[in-house]
Amino acid sequence: QVQLVESGGGLVQAGGSLRLSCAASGRAFSTYNMGWFRQAPGKEREFVAAIKWSGGLTYYRDSVKGRFTISKNNAKNLVYLQMDTLKPEDTAVYYCTADPNYSDYVSNGRIDYWGQGTQVTVSS
């Protein structure tokens, strides 16, 4: 079992930055692949970014490439999502996730563990 708690959401103007954090508890955190999803009002939940358990491989949706950076600190059981040059269309609830299979992030989105989410609002 892995428990995930997000923090760092808030209100920011377009062009600004936010850093989301995700604290994970449970055994074997360092062996889990981690990722972020988001869901905007009235829209389906969508994949944002993922990082392999070793930290050596990352994957992003096209619309955030070059603006968002995912990172992982296995020693502190933390995952981050640095979001720069934010746009109003980035407004959503952001969810931290964990899964033993990296391919689940790339292919089917069937993720085992989810946090409760943190709201990110970008004003124009």
Side-chain angles (χ1 to χ4, degrees):
Q1 281 284 353
V2 176
Q3 293 79 44
L4 305 169
V5 179
E6 304 94 337
S7 62
L11 173 64
V12 65
Q13 287 188 332
S17 298
L18 279 176
R19 188 176 81 160
L20 304 183
S21 300
C22 174
S25 60
R27 59 189 183 94
F29 167 78
S30 63
T31 66
Y32 276 84
N33 307 287
M34 306 295 294
W36 293 87
F37 283 73
R38 68 186 181 187
Q39 187 167 21
K43 295 186 177 180
E44 292 188 356
R45 190 160 52 192
E46 63 183 20
F47 167 79
V48 177
I51 186 167
K52 199 167 174 67
W53 65 270
S54 61
L57 188 63
T58 57
Y59 179 61
Y60 299 90
R61 69 179 299 106
D62 286 345
S63 62
V64 307
K65 285 180 181 177
R67 300 189 298 120
F68 289 12
T69 304
I70 187 170
S71 59
K72 190 172 187 264
N73 186 326
N74 285 334
K76 296 184 177 181
N77 284 15
L78 289 169
V79 178
Y80 304 102
L81 184 67
Q82 177 66 41
M83 304 185 295
D84 298 319
T85 319
L86 282 161
K87 303 176 181 180
E89 52 263 42
D90 295 318
T91 295
V93 176
Y94 282 71
Y95 297 91
C96 177
T97 65
D99 195 272
N101 300 310
Y102 185 73
S103 60
D104 288 343
Y105 286 103
V106 179
S107 58
N108 57 38
R110 296 175 188 165
I111 306 302
D112 284 358
Y113 300 105
W114 295 77
Q116 292 300 307
T118 185
Q119 176 71 45
V120 171
T121 303
V122 184
S123 63
S124 57

